[in-house]
């Protein structure tokens, strides 16, 4: 465990200024009293799994939805919280580092102290291991001062994201009993919140008084469903990565000699890659969900990329930017099957060294075909949810390597006559995870922290703190508590009526909706992205000024601003291309010069935050 955890940090000027930023609260959380409204009883997110979830969670299944409202709201079946006896709460980071995590703890702290200054908030040092070993530090305003609105999880740190085995659950329960905790708040993604649900069930069964609460915090943005609009950290991570991608795009077009292959985080779902593509317009983006749906093989993907390289070469372009999610490799059918075999061997305790010799003949043949660096990475030990360590598999390098081979083959066979293909690879992973959180993530996390305290105070067990209506300003946000079991389901074996549910109920990551309008926009623009170098520069995160309060674009994609933005840029490119054709007439040149007056405006659009007010354009 890192000895520096929780130490005061020396802050830079920007960090100090950020530490002064006071997140906004919706009206229902601004006072010390909150009205609690109980809604409908819940079932499973997948009604066909309701019985299985109910069986697995007899104590916590079917609980009601709960909304937190201003005390003066008129609502039926309500209970006003009037008294605030002192409470003790424990909190831990269980999921991966995600910008905004510290603000959840800050929100919990402020809400607890506002209710009763004698309330005690304990942080578990070192995540789950700190929980099992009862290693705590008291969270005070002093401790928090250099962590407010700051990136990282280093106030408390984290270890393995798992509270699942009998020993782990028992250790967690004895810690909560020994510390006499009223609430245990677990900050994390799908895996951590699934474990939180199990813990809540076990605590209820053993009459442990501690209420277990989950908070949706994961940069991957895949904990998304009818109750959860987005997760803390996703907005920041997409903004930081989009800036990095757009920098790389401008570098590529400036030198005109490299293809950049960029891999982004996001294992089971490609939300980060999708969002960043919408924000930065790279030449190509390949999402795991579309590959899985169309069952594209590795070589089909390589051929598609090579066709793109050829089409660009035909226009004299020898540079480009390709974006992929880290989960792409697992979406390719034959790679998935190979990785499943490797996973099963791990589960049967076969060592990394022995795995290659234990593969079935077809898997061994595929394994042998892959370059040695990928072979080494594929057999690495598994994640806590028994999946492959996707962040360690250099899929972008695999693609770049195979594209280079294919381009050489096409050249040799005389099908490609352009210049030699050259690539540069990047994995943008932890660079974004440790970023200063955007205002959106700072506010969202802080509000969720406040909601957690309302949940504990209401005595709810096995709930997740949620906020909806995030598209709107903070004063219109709706605060709620949703039973974790309502988000759980069981994966099915086969499609159609014969489908057999398998495995235990968990909260599953939700994939990109390939029927959504945002995806249609991306695909509609694909050929323009590929050929027109239609790059977009969102710039760094804005903390103050007009761009500071932009929301995650996936939440506002229906908003015409973004679609209009794309149209304006395309229109601009077309005009410039038409006007400035070599050998054009004097009149056309004059028209071009006058239309250049608007170029600055266009450049402003290209670097404007997505929801900033855009000027109108007129081309002569
Ligand atoms: O830094 P680590 O431990 O390799 O974690 C990486 C994983 O965490 C995530 O960032 C979030 O779950 C994944 O996208 C990634 O595979």
């Amino acid at each position: 465990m890192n000895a520096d955890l929780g130490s005061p940090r020396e802050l830079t000027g920007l960090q100090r200024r950020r530490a002064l930023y006071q997140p906004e609260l919706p009206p229902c959380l601004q006072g010390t009293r909150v009205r609690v409204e109980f809604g409908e009883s819940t079932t499973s997110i997948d009604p066909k799994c309701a019985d299985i979830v109910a069986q697995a969670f007899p104590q916590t299944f079917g609980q009601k939805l709960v909304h937190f409202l201003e005390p003066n709201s008129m609502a039926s079946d309500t209970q006003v919280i009037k008294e605030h006896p002192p409470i003790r709460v424990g909190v831990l980071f269980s999921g991966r580092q995600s910008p905004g995590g510290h603000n959840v703890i800050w929100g919990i702290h402020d809400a607890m102290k506002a209710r009763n200054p004698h309330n005690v908030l304990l942080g578990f040092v070192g995540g789950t291991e700190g929980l099992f070993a009862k290693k705590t530090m008291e969270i005070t305003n002093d401790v928090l001062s250099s962590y407010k609105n700051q990136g990282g999880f280093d106030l408390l740190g984290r270890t393995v994201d798992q509270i699942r085995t009998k020993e782990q659950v028992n250790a967690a329960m004895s810690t909560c009993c020994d510390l006499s905790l009223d609430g245990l708040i677990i900050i994390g993604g799908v895996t951590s919140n699934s474990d939180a649900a199990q813990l809540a069930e076990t605590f209820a069964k053993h009459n442990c008084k501690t209420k277990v609460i989950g908070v949706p915090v994961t940069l991957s943005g895949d904990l998304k469903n009818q109750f959860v609009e987005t997760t803390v950290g996703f907005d920041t991570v997409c903004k930081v990565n989009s800036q990095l991608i757009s920098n790389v795009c401008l570098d590529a077009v400036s030198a005109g000699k490299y293809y950049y292959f960029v891999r982004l985080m996001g294992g089971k779902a490609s939300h980060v890659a999708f969002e960043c593509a919408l924000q930065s317009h790279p030449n190509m983006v390949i999402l795991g969900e579309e590959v899985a749906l169309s069952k594209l093989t590795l070589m089909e993907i390589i051929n598609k990329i090579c066709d793109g390289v050829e089409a660009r070469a035909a226009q004299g372009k020898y540079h480009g930017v390709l974006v992929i999610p880290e989960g792409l490799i697992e979406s390719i059918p034959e790679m998935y099957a190979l990785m499943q075999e490797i996973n099963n061997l791990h589960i049967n305790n076969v060592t990394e060294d022995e795995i290659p010799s234990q593969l079935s003949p077809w898997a061994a043949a595929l394994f042998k075909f892959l370059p040695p660096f990928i072979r080494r990475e594929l057999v690495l030990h598994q994640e806590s949810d028994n999946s492959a360590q996707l962040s360690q598999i250099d899929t972008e390098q695999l693609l770049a390597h195979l594209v280079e081979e294919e381009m050489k083959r096409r050249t040799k066979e005389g099908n490609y006559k352009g210049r030699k293909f050259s690539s540069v690879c990047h994995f943008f992973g932890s660079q974004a995870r440790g970023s200063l959180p955007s205002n959106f993530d700072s506010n969202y996390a802080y509000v969720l922290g406040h909601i957690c305290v309302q949940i504990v105070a209401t005595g709810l067990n096995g709930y997740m703190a949620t906020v909806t209506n995030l598209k709107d300003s903070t004063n219109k946000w709706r605060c709620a508590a949703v039973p974790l079991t309502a988000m759980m389901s069981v994966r099915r074996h086969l499609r159609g009526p014969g489908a057999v549910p398998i495995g235990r109920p968990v909260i599953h990551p939700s994939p990109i909706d390939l029927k959504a309008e945002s995806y249609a926009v991306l695909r509609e623009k694909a050929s323009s992205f590929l050929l027109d170098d239609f790059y977009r520069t969102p710039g760094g995160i804005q903390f103050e000024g007009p761009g500071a309060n932009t929301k995650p674009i996936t939440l506002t994609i229906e908003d015409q601003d973004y679609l209009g933005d794309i149209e304006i840029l395309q229109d601009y490119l077309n005009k410039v291309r038409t006007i400035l054709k070599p050998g054009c007439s004097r009149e056309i040149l004059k028209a071009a010069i006058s239309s250049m007056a608007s170029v600055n405006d266009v450049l402003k659009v290209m670097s404007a935050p997505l929801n900033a007010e855009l000027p109108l354009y007129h081309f002569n």
Side-chain angles (χ1 to χ4, degrees):
M1 217 167 282
N2 185 347
D4 293 335
L5 289 178
S7 314
R9 301 153 146 191
E10 193 185 316
L11 302 185
T12 61
L14 175 64
Q15 282 183 298
R16 280 202 300 276
R17 196 159 169 87
R18 287 308 293 152
L20 295 177
Y21 173 77
Q22 181 58 47
E24 296 156 16
L25 283 175
C28 68
L29 299 175
Q30 283 172 10
T32 51
R33 289 175 55 207
V34 172
R35 186 179 285 266
V36 183
E37 185 186 59
F38 287 85
E40 304 273 302
S41 296
T42 54
T43 168
S44 158
I45 209 157
D46 176 356
K48 295 196 194 94
C49 298
D51 288 348
I52 303 172
V53 183
Q55 259 172 28
F57 293 87
Q59 310 285 330
T60 50
F61 180 80
Q63 300 190 88
K64 290 183 172 178
L65 281 177
V66 176
H67 288 98
F68 300 106
L69 307 165
E70 281 180 86
N72 59 358
S73 313
M74 295 298 294
S76 59
D77 190 16
T78 60
Q79 162 200 335
V80 179
I81 299 171
K82 296 192 205 83
E83 291 170 17
H84 300 149
I87 51 171
R88 292 169 62 80
V89 170
V91 61
L92 69 143
F93 290 125
S94 172
R96 289 324 204 287
Q97 300 83 281
S98 192
H102 286 139
N103 275 27
V104 177
I105 300 182
W106 181 21
I108 298 169
H109 170 270
D110 283 6
M112 285 180 73
K113 295 295 175 187
R115 291 174 66 84
N116 186 333
H118 300 298
N119 285 341
V120 175
L121 176 60
L122 298 175
F124 288 102
V125 181
T128 50
E129 283 179 9
L131 172 69
F132 307 145
K134 219 190 300 172
K135 196 157 181 235
T136 62
M137 69 188 276
E138 183 164 357
I139 307 289
T140 60
N141 205 33
D142 267 1
V143 167
L144 281 167
S145 61
S146 53
Y147 293 89
K148 295 176 178 176
N149 306 310
Q150 308 294 321
F153 272 10
D154 52 324
L155 169 60
L156 296 173
R158 57 162 277 271
T159 42
V160 62
D161 309 328
Q162 200 196 69
I163 317 174
R164 206 165 312 142
T165 65
K166 204 168 171 202
E167 292 71 34
Q168 291 169 336
V169 170
N170 286 342
M173 190 151 64
S174 76
T175 294
C176 291
C177 291
D178 292 354
L179 297 174
S180 188
L181 296 184
D182 298 285
L184 175 69
I185 299 169
I186 298 176
I187 298 174
V190 285
T191 312
S192 307
N193 278 283
S194 299
D195 286 350
Q198 190 55 59
L199 208 57
E201 178 70 21
T202 312
F203 283 13
K205 189 169 153 203
H206 291 90
N207 294 319
C208 167
K209 74 161 182 175
T210 312
K211 310 300 176 205
V212 184
I213 291 135
V215 194
V217 177
T218 166
L219 69 101
S220 319
D222 57 358
L223 203 179
K224 211 173 177 175
N225 50 47
Q226 66 198 73
F227 308 106
V228 183
E229 290 182 358
T230 189
T231 50
V232 171
F234 178 71
D235 178 52
T236 306
V237 160
C238 291
K239 284 179 170 147
V240 173
N241 279 323
S242 300
Q243 182 193 12
L244 296 177
I245 295 165
S246 78
N247 292 353
V248 159
C249 289
L250 292 183
D251 192 74
V253 70
S254 306
K257 59 177 180 174
Y258 293 128
Y259 271 87
Y260 287 97
F261 283 57
V262 177
R263 175 168 50 109
L264 297 173
M265 281 195 163
K268 300 267 183 320
S270 319
H271 297 285
V272 176
F274 178 42
E275 179 72 19
C276 292
L278 287 170
Q279 292 197 20
S280 61
H281 304 179
N283 298 102
M284 295 180 239
V285 55
I286 306 173
L287 306 175
E289 288 83 346
E290 51 191 9
V291 167
L293 182 75
S294 44
K295 299 195 170 46
L296 284 179
T297 64
L298 182 57
M299 286 321 289
E300 281 168 341
I301 294 173
I302 298 302
N303 278 320
K304 268 180 179 286
I305 302 172
C306 291
D307 292 348
V309 171
E310 272 199 43
R312 289 178 59 79
Q315 293 194 353
K317 293 175 179 168
Y318 292 96
H319 64 275
V321 178
L322 166 80
V323 168
I324 58 162
E326 63 184 359
L328 178 72
I329 188 132
E330 248 188 342
S331 315
I332 304 170
E334 70 272 25
M335 292 304 299
Y336 175 77
L338 168 62
M339 291 168 82
Q340 281 299 105
E341 275 203 23
I342 294 174
N343 275 354
N344 288 337
L345 292 170
H346 274 299
I347 290 167
N348 289 314
N349 297 320
V350 177
T351 64
E352 288 174 11
D353 290 343
E354 286 166 351
I355 285 175
S357 63
Q358 309 246 341
L359 292 168
S360 65
W362 80 264
L366 173 58
F367 191 73
K368 217 168 142 203
F369 157 82
L370 298 168
F373 67 90
I374 288 286
R375 286 188 228 158
R376 270 193 310 276
E377 294 163 356
L378 282 174
V379 298
L380 286 175
H381 70 86
Q382 300 172 297
E383 295 278 6
S384 62
D385 62 354
N386 291 340
S387 60
Q389 281 196 62
L390 292 171
S391 64
Q392 302 300 312
I393 303 176
D394 293 315
T395 308
E396 75 289 7
Q397 293 188 27
L398 172 66
L399 296 189
H401 168 84
L402 294 176
V403 167
E404 189 170 343
E405 295 294 301
E406 172 63 16
M407 292 312 294
K408 276 189 200 152
R409 194 188 64 78
R410 291 184 185 197
T411 308
K412 206 167 152 201
E413 289 176 359
N415 298 327
Y416 172 66
K417 300 199 170 51
R419 272 197 244 149
K420 186 175 170 286
F421 165 85
S422 294
S423 65
V424 176
C425 293
H426 292 290
F427 173 41
F428 293 158
S430 36
Q431 294 93 326
R433 278 200 315 203
S435 169
L436 285 168
S438 63
N439 285 349
F440 174 81
D441 278 328
S442 300
N443 292 340
Y444 183 29
Y446 184 76
V447 169
L448 286 170
H450 274 256
I451 298 172
C452 288
V453 177
Q454 301 304 334
I455 297 177
V456 178
T458 313
L460 305 172
N461 180 35
Y463 275 74
M464 183 187 284
T466 67
V467 181
T468 50
N469 212 24
L470 290 168
K471 223 161 105 159
D472 249 311
S473 52
T474 325
N475 62 2
K476 297 205 177 106
W477 285 5
R478 286 197 287 266
C479 301
V482 179
L484 288 161
T485 51
M487 303 181 198
M488 301 185 107
S489 62
V490 182
R491 276 275 144 87
R492 275 152 213 281
H493 223 16
L494 303 161
R495 289 183 185 281
V500 185
I502 45 164
R504 59 193 189 96
V506 292
I507 302 175
H508 289 285
S510 46
I512 287 181
D513 178 4
L514 298 180
K515 294 196 184 104
E517 193 191 342
S518 45
Y519 180 71
V521 169
L522 190 73
R523 280 303 138 222
E524 193 193 309
K525 303 292 170 196
S527 72
S528 178
F529 277 28
L530 175 67
L531 297 172
D532 296 342
D533 293 352
F534 177 36
Y535 305 137
R536 186 175 182 283
T537 303
I541 293 182
Q542 304 297 306
F543 295 112
E544 293 173 25
N549 292 319
T550 54
K551 299 283 165 38
I553 185 178
T554 40
L555 290 177
T556 54
I557 190 65
E558 316 283 321
D559 190 317
Q560 289 308 306
D561 274 0
Y562 176 70
L563 303 181
D565 192 3
I566 289 197
E567 297 308 332
I568 289 166
L569 289 179
Q570 252 180 350
D571 194 27
Y572 162 71
L573 286 170
N574 293 339
K575 296 271 179 190
V576 170
R577 215 172 277 128
T578 324
I579 291 169
L580 294 179
K581 261 203 294 245
C584 61
S585 70
R586 179 178 290 270
E587 281 65 40
I588 290 181
L589 259 182
K590 264 167 73 184
I593 291 163
S594 70
S595 80
M596 284 302 159
S598 54
V599 167
N600 275 341
D601 285 345
V602 172
L603 292 178
K604 265 192 232 147
V605 178
M606 294 182 89
S607 57
L610 289 175
N611 286 352
E613 259 179 46
L614 303 176
L616 283 171
Y617 300 95
H618 301 285
F619 292 94
N620 299 319

